[in-house]
Every structure is written in structure tokens, then in C-alpha cells.
Amino acid sequence: MQAVLQHSPSSEVSSERRKNASAKRTGFLLLSPSVLLLLVWSIVPLVMTLWYSVQNYNLVDPTLHGFAGIDNYWYLLTDPDFLHSLLNTFVLVAGVLAISVGGGTLLAVLYDQDFFGRGIARIMVISPFFIMPTVSALLWKNLMLHPIYGVYSAMMRAVGLTPIDWLARFPLLTVMMIVAWEWLPFAVLILLTAVQSLDGEQREAARMDGADPIARFRYIILPHLSRAISVVVMIETIYLLTVFAEISVTTAGGPGVASTNLAYLIYSRALLQFDVGGASAGGVIAIIIANIVAIFLVRAVARNLEA
Amino acid sequence: MATVELKNLRKTYLTEEIIKGISLSIEDREFVVFVGPSGCGKSTLLRMIAGLEDITSGDLLIDGQRVNDVEPGKRGLAMVFQSYALYPHMDVYKNMEFGLKLAGMPEAERREKIEHVARTLQLEPYLHHKPGQLSGGQRQRVAIGRAIVRNPKVFLFDEPLSNLDAALRGQMRVELSALHRKLGATTIYVTHDQVEAMTMADKIVVLQKGVVEQIGSPLELYHHPRNLFVARFIGSPPMNFFPAIFQGGDTTGSAVQLRDGSTLYVPVTSPGLLPGTKVTVGIRPEHVELAASGPNSGVVEVIERLGAITLVHVRMPDGQIIVVQMDGAVLTDVDTRVSLTLPPGNCHLFAPDGVAFEACHRHPLAA
Amino acid sequence: MAVKTKTSTRIGVTILGWGIAVWLFFPIFWMFLTSFKNEIQAISTPPKLFFMPTLSSYAEVFERASYWHFTLNTVIVSVGATAIAIALAVPAAYSMAFLPSSRTRSTLLWMLSTRMLPPVGVLVPIYLLARNTHLLDTCTGLAIVDMLTNLPIIVWMLYTFFREVPAPILEAGRMDGASRWQEMTMVLLPLALPGIASTALLSLILCWNEAFWSLNLTSSHAAPLTAFIASFSSPEGLFFGKLSAASTLAVAPILVFGWISQKQLVRGLTFGAVK
């Protein structure tokens, strides 16, 4: 750095370019390890997936190989299961987002109130976030919702109702509830933090202006939460698009494809039917969809994330 | 022992030029104040000297060495920030030690220096407090202490007093002046507060929109402002202005006619000015005299009694307000009609482009 | 009158707050309770709240699977992935926050969008790559994958924390003669520590609970707790007592860790991303 000192004083204009260039270079050097790794991580498997997706490649049938063209895609896109799983993916993401953001906002306001044992109650509410998806799926499937031994079934019997086999009757809805149980606490955690950072004077000013609790929520708290809500939507969408363990443990995508999302469909193609080509074509489509979602989502929340 | 020289310094940010070619030389031990309204580029200029902003073109010399491309920490400068910018995770001692440690000074020497500075600034009881536990004034002292221990060639201050309350600001002003006399280090001080500029500076640089409007001693700026901007900016309450018509002049003075028809013979030279040109007469509030009746009359609208002095705000027939500074015992009341007398010897005359005409006699304190 | 409404509201809030908390927490509580039942008690109808606790389920779980082996793998993978990701993300976030270029914004958004890539989409190539580089069924391999999947979120979170740090403090560091490296390690990192800590906590939790890659890229040697629990979920494993004991063992460390650190997690979040 000091060597720069020795340069001739005449180079007036270039000095800025040089200094800017040095700052730029430092910035680039610091950023590049992460960027390069993510570039490799996102490009190499993508290219490989693209390659497999146009091949006939089945692990159990080695006689079948060679260039498949768009056969894998054609086969997949004309498969009614595919459209169904696409719809399921969307319903799952949208449903869980609605529950966790809506419920999370209300609960954040609730647990912002002062009441006896609030600290403990808060910890209980956010606990499900720490539970691994496999475990929570097992818990709900067996201990809670089992049609014979489940606690919920026992409670229904106790009030004279017939227990429902939730996972058989409403598979997608039940999976959605289980996933929402895991992600609602995350939303509460983030949104509660945001509610608490709301300036006390602002709230008091609103009270002096005669705003009732509903008006205060609508005009003071909700706008203040917009950034935190973006954060929740952003992070949760990332994870919800790829929900896998909950489905695999509870319904295995069934009955039929009633609770199969795109992630699970590709998984079942690849690892249950050993159809690498078909699974790869599904992967490519999943990536395209993810990118479309990403573009919309990132655009929508980017402004909030930047500020 | 340091001089700073700015040679046609320019700064372009994106496409906008915000420092438009500033040349200035600062003598050893001089206390120079950059003053101007917000957005005039004074802080940017200071940051360019500090090395925190790139210099687009021009040369910056410290002790005759070109330092445009030298890292901020290696220019031999120390800076006190407006927000103090103390390291919140370090106590007072460590805040002062940080720079010395990075410079590789041995432990014993560091301790001796810090203790010495802490004694000077009465910071000894707080050496092991974190900045968060200190009051505004104490933080200010720590920031100054952090600058002093490094024994810099030049001190840079970026609006250091603007976060303090009025009483503390007055006290710190005196302390800083005393400190400067004691240390005798070259100092560049940025402020928008003209009282700070007037009281502390050896030399004031008035900036506006990236251009130097005037450089001079405080009283030079006060008594001989070079243009309307400086006249308006220096002095509180600000100078009063009257529109007038130039009638003619010679080497002993110039005659102008005011709105009410009265003529004023101001002792300034006006070479080459054509009779009939619109000019501006300026006079400071403390020089205007009030009379019960006569020409140039208006109605008293507000009276501010500050104890020792009284400020009388007079609404003139053309709608503008003229402020007159009187002594504290003046009896004038609101809504009375008064007449203004303008002693010509204290008047300034400005050409249509805002430039002041040369006074025939320099003020003895601003020679 | 006013006092009365206030008291009744407070009672309502207390009941509602506790009611929802109990309801949401109930499955975890029930799992814990069931883990101390024997298999017959576990499936009794109606379910029993009071019973003679026994450790028999735990004993059987420990007999069947080497719990500590799985736990150790999870700890190694989670801590390793988090540490590497933070080490990579700090300079990246510093660069974005303090040396921004015209491309900073789009780089950040691109990073986040790589995270939306569905893992199943690239499962086959990643599996084959891991096999060919002998990283299949190793902690290193799984840690690398976990690190890469969390890196974008970590970079983004650190970026929001760094942007909260007042620039003059870093400038003061530079005036004091700090190099970029010293500025980063001696001034920025201590200042952003609460944010870095909560980012690391979040990453640890996400890594601990990651199921997809750990189930597909490991088999025995590097299998973490998610695989441990999966081995109790097969139809023949429908023994509620053992299932509960195994589940309790799998989630207990991260749950307790989460309880202890939730204050820190929240404290960090308040001055960054969510503020």
C-alpha cells in the first residue's frame, strides 16, 4: 500500500482511478470466496442435471441408455401426477406462509403483552422451531394424530366424536398443519423481536391520539412489522419450497399423490424408481420454478431487505 | 510542526463536482476553521485531507510531501468525529491505546502517554469505564484524548461540539482553545457554528457549494466581508441589507440613494461603476442607530431583551425586517414608529454581483 | 370501572397466552412423557397422564443404536458447517456493507436465490460428485453441503448487521492506522458480535435439523441424529415408547441449547435483520 506513495504527483486524475480500483479489488477479493463457491455449487450440479435430463438413464435397467432428447420432459409434463404435485407444492407453501405470518403476527402482539409467566410461555411457543422435521412428523403422526392411540383421537372420543384418520382423510392439510407447527414459532420469534423494537413514544403518541387497540395494530404495529414480515416470508419460502422429511415420514406422498409435492415427486422418481433421467428432468423443472418464485419473491421483498 | 497545503483540490462524486478546486495553505501551529452552511463541502474537504475520501484531482501536501495516495493512518493526522466514534467495546484506556498499539509503541511508553493525557483532560477516574458509561462531555474528552496521545502533526475536528448542550459547548470551546495554545499543533476544525469559528480560529475559510468564498482572520471577515454571502454568514444577528441606487463616487467614498430618497456617502471606492446601478448597502445590527423620528422609518414588531443587549426588530415600509442591536436598558416598545440612522462609516457596499467594494480605510483590528 | 376492564383484559391475556403456549408445546411435552412409559402404557387408551415412570425405553434405544456416535456426527457437522460458513461470510458481508459496488445488490439477491434451488433437483449430481470425491458418508462431505446451503442466508444476515455499525467508528480505526484486516478483526467483529452470535445460533439449529442431505448423503459412518431417528420410524418401529425416547434424545441437546440461547438469538436479531 505504501508503495503507491512513490508515484509521480503529475498523475492527478489517474490517482482516483487507482484508489478506487484498489478499493474495488479489496471488495472483490473479500467477496470472491463466497461467490465462487456458490457459483460452483449452483452451476456444476445444474449442468450435470441438465445433461442427465436428456439421457435415458435408469439404474435398474442398464440396457436403456443414450440420448433421450426431450422425452424425459415430455413424459413428465404430460404426467397428471406432475401437475398435481405442482399444485400441492403451491398450496403447501401458501398455506404455511399464511398460517405462520398471520398467526405469528397475532401471537407476537399477544406475547408482547405483560402477563404472569410470559417468559416461560414464550419459550414454550418458540420450542417447536428447534425440533427436527423428522421428529415433529413422527410425533404428530403417531403420538398426536394416530386414529387409535393418538391423543387427539382420545380427546375426540372423550367428547363423543368419532376419531378421524387425519393423514388418510386430509393428507395435504395435515402435512400443512405439521409444517406450520414447525414454522409458526420462527415467525413469532422474528415478529416478536420486531414488535418489541417499536418505539414506546410512538405507541404512546398513538394512544394520545385516541387510537383504540385495533387501530394501533392496524396503523402503527403492522406497518412497523412490514420488514420483519418480508424476512419471515423470504426465509420460510426457501425452506417450504423444499419440504421433504415431513411428507416422507407421514404419508410418503400418498394416498396416491394427494400429498406429493414436487420435491417428493422427484425424490420418488430418482430413488424409488431409479429413473435418473426422469428425476433430473423433474429437477430442472423444479429449478426453473424455484427461480421464477425467487425472481418474484426477491423483487417483492428486496426493497424491504435492503433498507 | 506541520504545514498543510491544498492545491486545486477537486472531488467529483458520480457526475457531480462537490469540491470545485480549492487551494489553501495552512501554516504550522495555525488553527484553521472551515465554516459554511450544511452541504457546502466542508466536511468532505476535511475527509479528503484525512484520507477517508478519495481526491479526484489536485494535490494535498503535508509538510511538503504529497500524500494523496497515503493511507489515512499513515498521514500523521488524528481526527475527532462529530459522533465521537469511540470504540464501544473498549474502555477509555484501550480507546486511547488502540492507535499506539497499532503503531507498535512499547507498553510502558503507551501507559505513560495515556496517563499523561488523561491527567491533562481530567479523565483519570474514567480510564476503565466503557464509553457507554460516560456523559457526552466526557466522551468528547476521550475522543480528544485519543487524538492527542498519537501526537499527530495535524488535528482534524469534524463538528466536534455539535452534540453537546449549549453550556457544555461554551466550556469545551474555551478548553479547546487553551489546549491548542498549549500543544501548538496545526489544527483544522470544521463547524457550521460561526461563534466557534470566530472565537477559536486564527484563520477562517468560508465555503459555499464547494468553493472558497473568503479566507481571513475572524475580524477581517467580520469587518471586511468580501461578498454578500460572507457578510450574511458571519456575525449574529446577521447583517441588515438595504437596496440602493449608486449615484457616483471618488477615492474617498461613494454616494448611494436609499429607497426613501435619503443619500448616504459610504467610504468605499467603486471604480468603474456607472451611476444608476442597483447596489446593496449592508450594516450590522449593532451599528444601526434608532431615532424617534426622521427618515428611514418603520414600526417595531418584536423586542428581544437578552439582558445586556436588546434586539429590536423593525418592519420597514417595503416589508423587510431590520434588526437593531441596542443596549439592555433601551425603553422602546413594540408598535412604536422609529427611525433608523445608518452611520456611513460602518456601512458596506455590494455590487450587483454580490462582491463588496474596497473600503477606503481598513479596520485597525483587521489589517 | 377502568380498573376492572384492565384486570379482566389482563386475565384474558394471561389465559390466552398460556393456553396457546400449552397447546403448541403439548406434542413436545407428550413425547417427553411417553419416553418414560413402557410400550403397553404408551398405547393405552385413553392415554395416561399419570403412570409409573420407567427408563426401559431409553435402555432399549441405547442398546439398539449408538446414540453418541450419531450425536457426535451431528455436532461435528453442525459446528463445522457453521464455523466455515461464518468465516467465509464475514469478509463477503464486509465487502458488501463497506465496499459496495454497483453490483452488490444483485450479487446478494443472486446468492439468496441459489438457496431456493430445490435440493432434490440436484440430488443425483451431488450424490455422484460426493461418491466420486469419496465424500459420501463422511462428516466433511455433509458439512460442506450444509455450509453451502446456509451460506447465502448467513451472508445476508451478517450484511444487515454490519450495515448497522456506524461508519465513523470504522473510520476512526483507519485514522488510528488499522489495516483492513485489523479494522475487520479488532473493530468490526467485536461490535457486531451479538449479530454474529445469533447468526451462528440460527445456522447451528438449521444444520442440526437438516434432514434431506443427511439422509441421502450418509449411511452409517457419518450418519447424524436425523438418520438415527429415521431408523426408529419404520413401520416395525411403531413402538411409541422407544420412538419417544429416541426422539427426546435426538432433539434434547438442540432444544436445551435453543432455550438457553434464545435471549441471545433475539438480542442479535433486534439490531440487524428485523429491526
Side-chain angles (χ1 to χ4, degrees):
Chain A
M1 287 277 155
Q2 254 178 327
V4 183
L5 223 171
Q6 266 73 278
H7 285 281
S8 61
S10 60
S11 55
E12 287 182 354
V13 179
S14 74
S15 92
E16 204 237 350
R17 216 171 291 149
R18 191 163 58 228
K19 188 125 198 212
N20 264 357
S22 112
K24 256 184 201 160
R25 202 172 50 235
T26 316
F28 181 76
L29 281 178
L30 293 172
L31 196 56
S32 50
S34 295
V35 169
L36 281 179
L37 278 172
L38 285 173
L39 210 58
V40 171
W41 169 244
S42 61
I43 300 284
V44 171
L46 183 67
V47 170
M48 287 174 74
T49 303
L50 274 171
W51 169 249
Y52 291 133
S53 76
V54 293
Q55 299 289 317
N56 285 314
Y57 187 4
N58 192 309
L59 295 173
V60 286
D61 188 359
T63 58
L64 198 67
H65 60 85
F67 188 66
I70 59 162
D71 282 3
N72 287 324
Y73 289 95
W74 183 248
Y75 180 69
L76 195 70
L77 288 171
T78 52
D79 184 350
D81 287 0
F82 170 75
L83 273 181
H84 203 127
S85 71
L86 203 58
L87 189 68
N88 285 346
T89 309
F90 178 75
V91 169
L92 195 60
V93 172
V96 175
L97 276 182
I99 295 170
S100 58
V101 171
T105 309
L106 295 176
L107 290 188
V109 174
L110 175 64
Y111 290 103
D112 184 45
Q113 314 295 314
D114 195 20
F115 63 85
F116 177 73
R118 179 176 62 163
I120 310 255
R122 266 187 206 164
I123 287 183
M124 285 165 70
V125 168
I126 60 167
S127 290
F129 178 60
F130 305 127
I131 305 294
M132 55 181 70
T134 22
V135 168
S136 59
L138 284 170
L139 279 186
W140 279 97
K141 180 188 181 184
N142 298 315
L143 299 187
M144 295 294 118
L145 300 178
H146 194 282
I148 302 163
Y149 310 118
V151 176
Y152 277 65
S153 310
M155 286 197 284
M156 288 183 81
R157 269 194 297 273
V159 293
L161 295 168
T162 320
I164 299 169
D165 188 352
W166 293 94
L167 283 163
R169 291 274 302 279
F170 312 104
L172 189 62
L173 189 72
T174 310
V175 168
M176 189 196 293
M177 289 300 164
I178 295 173
V179 177
W181 179 73
E182 294 166 7
W183 284 101
L184 175 66
F186 177 74
V188 174
L189 186 69
I190 301 280
L191 295 173
L192 183 57
T193 308
V195 169
Q196 286 172 335
S197 77
L198 181 61
D199 180 24
E201 277 187 13
Q202 218 184 80
R203 291 195 218 200
E204 282 167 5
R207 279 175 75 168
M208 295 301 290
D209 284 342
D212 59 44
I214 292 170
R216 288 209 296 274
F217 177 75
R218 168 75 186 75
Y219 295 105
I220 307 289
I221 296 177
L222 217 49
H224 176 77
L225 287 184
S226 65
R227 184 156 172 229
I229 289 177
S230 313
V231 171
V232 171
V233 169
M234 164 97 206
I235 292 186
E236 287 198 0
T237 308
I238 286 173
Y239 284 87
L240 294 177
L241 276 175
T242 59
V243 163
F244 170 77
E246 292 86 343
I247 295 173
S248 157
V249 169
T250 53
T251 63
V257 286
S259 59
T260 297
N261 68 353
L262 203 51
Y264 195 80
L265 182 79
I266 300 165
Y267 169 81
S268 63
R269 282 281 144 79
L271 286 156
L272 304 181
Q273 298 167 23
F274 303 102
D275 179 5
V276 175
S280 297
V284 171
I285 291 167
I287 289 166
I288 291 168
I289 290 167
N291 274 301
I292 293 170
V293 173
I295 287 167
F296 279 108
L297 190 72
V298 160
R299 283 280 141 81
V301 298
R303 213 159 25 102
N304 271 324
L305 298 184
E306 273 279 301
Chain B
M1 316 216 311
T3 60
V4 179
E5 200 167 344
L6 281 60
K7 285 186 181 166
N8 197 20
L9 230 47
R10 284 171 194 276
K11 166 89 185 167
T12 307
Y13 186 70
L14 298 177
T15 57
E16 197 188 349
E17 190 169 52
I18 45 177
I19 298 293
K20 297 168 184 160
I22 289 182
S23 298
L24 172 69
S25 50
I26 296 167
E27 304 301 319
D28 184 29
R29 294 166 173 260
E30 202 167 25
F31 196 118
V32 175
V33 174
F34 294 172
V35 71
S38 61
C40 69
K42 56 189 190 298
S43 281
T44 309
L45 188 59
L46 188 77
R47 291 166 57 82
M48 285 161 76
I49 295 170
L52 297 172
E53 299 277 355
D54 301 338
I55 294 168
T56 308
S57 73
D59 294 317
L60 172 66
L61 285 78
I62 296 176
D63 276 342
Q65 289 273 41
R66 185 174 184 271
V67 293
N68 285 36
D69 298 316
V70 179
E71 290 289 305
K74 303 215 161 73
R75 293 188 184 188
L77 314 170
M79 182 153 164
V80 176
F81 292 82
Q82 179 174 10
S83 58
Y84 317 139
L86 300 177
Y87 310 120
H89 56 292
M90 302 182 193
D91 63 18
V92 170
Y93 185 89
K94 293 211 171 92
N95 259 284
M96 297 205 266
E97 190 187 28
F98 189 64
L100 305 180
K101 218 167 162 179
L102 292 179
M105 186 185 283
E107 156 98 56
E109 203 178 326
R110 295 201 299 255
R111 175 167 297 277
E112 192 189 326
K113 280 205 138 188
I114 293 166
E115 278 169 359
H116 177 74
V117 170
R119 220 170 304 132
T120 322
L121 294 171
Q122 293 135 47
L123 283 171
E124 279 171 311
Y126 311 109
L127 275 178
H128 297 289
H129 287 44
K130 291 260 175 80
Q133 298 166 281
L134 303 178
S135 71
Q138 290 163 342
R139 283 183 217 181
Q140 177 67 74
R141 279 207 181 78
V142 176
I144 293 168
R146 184 171 68 178
I148 294 174
V149 283
R150 296 192 52 218
N151 201 12
K153 292 193 233 174
V154 183
F155 281 102
L156 307 178
F157 289 89
D158 188 5
E159 309 216 17
L161 305 185
S162 57
N163 282 350
L164 299 178
D165 64 50
L168 207 50
R169 205 179 312 158
Q171 186 194 330
M172 285 307 296
R173 221 163 53 210
V174 176
E175 281 186 32
L176 278 177
S177 292
L179 200 65
H180 175 247
R181 253 199 321 281
K182 193 164 148 193
L183 298 173
T186 311
T187 302
I188 305 175
Y189 187 107
V190 163
T191 182
H192 63 269
D193 180 30
Q194 51 122 348
V195 178
E196 284 172 29
M198 294 296 285
T199 51
M200 298 197 283
D202 294 322
K203 182 151 89 188
I204 296 179
V205 179
V206 182
L207 291 162
Q208 195 207 189
K209 293 180 183 153
V211 176
V212 172
E213 293 286 350
Q214 189 171 0
I215 302 175
S217 72
L219 289 184
E220 201 177 333
L221 264 53
Y222 185 77
H223 292 295
H224 301 290
R226 211 172 67 186
N227 54 34
L228 273 173
F229 178 81
V230 177
R232 213 176 267 133
F233 195 79
I234 299 289
S236 169
M239 190 183 275
N240 297 301
F241 298 99
F242 299 88
I245 308 288
F246 179 70
Q247 291 185 314
D250 53 28
T251 51
T252 60
S254 309
V256 295
Q257 188 178 37
L258 296 176
R259 277 259 171 95
D260 70 336
S262 60
T263 304
L264 215 55
Y265 192 71
V266 185
V268 300
T269 57
S270 47
L273 196 68
L274 293 175
T277 312
K278 285 180 179 164
V279 293
T280 306
V281 173
I283 184 163
R284 298 209 177 270
E286 61 269 38
H287 295 139
V288 184
E289 287 162 14
L290 282 192
S293 64
N296 245 330
S297 69
V299 179
V300 176
E301 194 160 283
V302 176
I303 293 192
E304 293 180 284
R305 294 191 181 276
L306 303 175
I309 58 164
T310 302
L311 298 177
V312 181
H313 297 245
V314 181
R315 171 81 67 185
M316 301 306 285
D318 61 358
Q320 72 162 326
I321 294 264
I322 299 298
V323 179
V324 184
Q325 182 179 321
M326 314 283 292
D327 78 70
V330 71
L331 293 172
T332 316
D333 211 347
V334 284
D335 289 340
T336 52
R337 181 160 278 276
V338 292
S339 171
L340 308 180
T341 311
L342 315 178
N346 290 320
C347 286
H348 304 259
L349 204 58
F350 301 92
D353 61 359
V355 175
F357 292 114
E358 195 78 32
C360 296
H361 314 286
R362 300 287 287 183
H363 192 280
L365 288 173
Chain C
M1 187 65 198
V3 177
K4 198 183 161 197
T5 9
K6 224 178 161 182
T7 320
S8 71
T9 329
R10 179 164 295 184
I11 290 172
V13 165
T14 311
I15 292 173
L16 198 62
W18 272 100
I20 292 174
V22 167
W23 177 54
L24 287 175
F25 188 73
F26 181 75
I28 300 170
F29 166 76
W30 196 254
M31 163 188 83
F32 185 69
L33 207 66
T34 310
S35 70
F36 292 101
K37 294 177 178 174
N38 60 39
E39 293 301 347
I40 299 177
Q41 291 165 333
I43 56 166
S44 71
T45 45
K48 281 200 177 72
L49 193 56
F50 301 100
F51 57 93
M52 259 316 272
T54 161
L55 287 175
S56 64
S57 297
Y58 284 98
E60 279 186 62
V61 168
F62 276 106
E63 204 173 292
R64 230 176 86 177
S66 53
Y67 171 70
W68 298 113
H69 173 72
F70 290 100
T71 308
L72 190 66
N73 283 339
T74 294
V75 170
I76 290 171
V77 169
S78 308
V79 172
T82 299
I84 299 169
I86 297 264
L88 284 168
V90 165
Y94 173 91
S95 162
M96 286 178 168
F98 301 111
L99 298 167
S101 76
S102 53
R103 280 188 303 270
T104 296
R105 193 186 140 95
S106 41
T107 308
L108 186 64
L109 295 182
W110 167 76
M111 280 189 171
L112 285 169
S113 72
T114 66
R115 185 57 188 82
M116 294 190 193
L117 203 120
V120 275
V122 291
L123 172 60
V124 177
I126 296 291
Y127 183 89
L128 296 176
L129 280 176
R131 198 185 59 189
N132 294 342
T133 48
H134 304 288
L135 289 173
L136 205 60
D137 199 19
T138 62
C139 287
T140 317
L142 189 55
I144 289 172
V145 171
D146 277 0
M147 184 273 285
L148 285 167
T149 52
N150 284 325
L151 187 58
I153 290 179
I154 292 177
V155 169
W156 166 64
M157 281 184 75
L158 289 183
Y159 167 74
T160 65
F161 292 134
F162 288 176
R163 281 178 50 133
E164 299 280 316
V165 172
I169 295 183
L170 298 185
E171 288 172 354
R174 280 165 69 195
M175 292 302 295
D176 270 344
S179 65
R180 285 248 184 253
W181 173 250
Q182 288 165 326
E183 184 186 325
M184 216 186 304
T185 53
M186 298 167 87
V187 182
L188 177 65
L189 287 192
L191 279 178
L193 201 59
I196 295 172
S198 69
T199 309
L201 288 173
L202 193 67
S203 164
L204 275 179
I205 292 164
L206 292 173
C207 287
W208 188 284
N209 292 338
E210 200 287 316
F212 183 80
W213 292 114
S214 46
L215 288 177
N216 287 311
L217 294 184
T218 65
S219 51
S220 61
H221 175 71
L225 282 169
T226 33
F228 163 77
I229 199 68
S231 70
F232 284 89
S233 67
S234 49
E236 56 90 25
L238 267 194
F239 294 101
F240 285 13
K242 281 193 280 296
L243 180 68
S244 299
S247 297
T248 305
L249 286 170
V251 301
I254 198 73
L255 191 61
V256 172
F257 180 73
W259 285 342
I260 294 168
S261 60
Q262 57 109 14
K263 277 236 168 68
Q264 176 57 50
L265 193 63
V266 168
R267 197 161 71 98
L269 288 172
T270 23
F271 98 124
V274 244
K275 195 174 145 196

